[in-house]
Amino acid sequence: DPATLTISVEEDDRYFGRYALSYEDKRTPPDQVAPTFFENSTAEVDAEVRNLLGRGARTGARVRVGADVRDASASLGIPSLPALGNFTATVFRIQQDLPITPDATTGEARESERTQEGFEVSWARRLPRRIELLYGYRFEDSRVVSPDFPDPQEASTAVLRTSAIRDTRDSILDARRGRFLTL
């Protein structure tokens, strides 16, 4: 039976931005000083430019600032590279304040600071039979400054990642048939 099929395509917005401010009210034991408003708050800003040069590529940046975590990252995504699949490259810097045991003589709270800097490249490639192959490489330099160590502790880490996913479910949110397998 012949039928008329109409497909409407609408391009997504070229520029995307998001911001978030959050506050977490933490209970404090009576013998400790309650954290200030700013110590319980976090601010995030994300920005993305889509369809760079008319090729579907995208670039973005993210910044998050809180009392114990500060991180920034920038990324570039290129879809559908021949033989490789969808490519994403990210550079990042993460700073965290980590509580450690209180000072033995004074009982004062102490913190270590961990800084992680590095980059990650990853690919996602569709294979036959509803299989998706994910693979990538991450390199990270870490540095910990702590009153427990006379000098900052530094380490470099490199990780290769790979996984395969087969999804034959009829619905992602309310599956009635099919399977989701990951390795």
Side-chain angles (χ1 to χ4, degrees):
D1 296 329
T4 302
L5 179 64
T6 304
I7 298 174
S8 297
V9 178
E10 186 176 317
E11 186 176 357
D12 205 357
D13 291 334
R14 182 175 178 88
Y15 303 102
F16 170 80
R18 181 183 76 87
Y19 63 90
L21 300 171
S22 61
Y23 174 79
E24 181 180 353
D25 190 15
K26 300 175 186 173
R27 294 184 186 224
T28 308
D31 59 334
Q32 293 182 2
V33 177
T36 66
F37 174 80
F38 292 107
E39 290 174 328
N40 284 339
S41 301
T42 301
E44 293 181 47
V45 176
D46 288 326
E48 186 174 75
V49 179
R50 300 172 177 162
N51 200 17
L52 287 174
L53 306 172
R55 301 288 180 207
R58 68 187 188 294
T59 186
R62 177 178 188 225
V63 176
R64 180 175 59 154
V65 177
D68 296 327
V69 177
R70 293 152 307 281
D71 68 64
S73 63
S75 64
L76 171 69
I78 303 172
S80 303
L81 290 174
L84 293 176
N86 298 334
F87 170 76
T88 303
T90 306
V91 293
F92 61 88
R93 184 171 200 270
I94 305 166
Q95 267 186 310
Q96 291 178 290
D97 297 329
L98 306 169
I100 56 176
T101 56
D103 186 285
T105 56
T106 64
E108 288 184 30
R110 302 180 315 146
E111 290 183 341
S112 292
E113 181 182 89
R114 177 173 62 189
T115 304
Q116 299 164 281
E117 296 175 330
F119 69 91
E120 183 169 359
V121 291
S122 59
W123 293 267
R125 183 169 178 213
R126 283 243 180 246
L127 300 175
R129 300 191 57 190
R130 298 175 107 181
I131 296 174
E132 186 168 12
L133 179 64
L134 308 169
Y135 52 101
Y137 173 77
R138 179 181 175 107
F139 179 81
E140 179 179 297
D141 280 327
S142 296
R143 178 182 175 151
V144 175
V145 177
S146 173
D148 290 339
F149 306 130
D151 297 319
Q153 302 296 303
E154 298 180 1
S156 295
T157 308
V159 177
L160 289 173
R161 299 179 183 175
T162 186
S163 60
I165 300 169
R166 183 163 192 255
D167 189 356
T168 60
R169 296 175 293 178
D170 58 351
S171 169
I172 293 173
L173 299 177
D174 188 22
R176 304 275 184 212
R177 291 185 312 239
R179 293 189 175 141
F180 178 80
L181 304 170
T182 183
L183 173 66

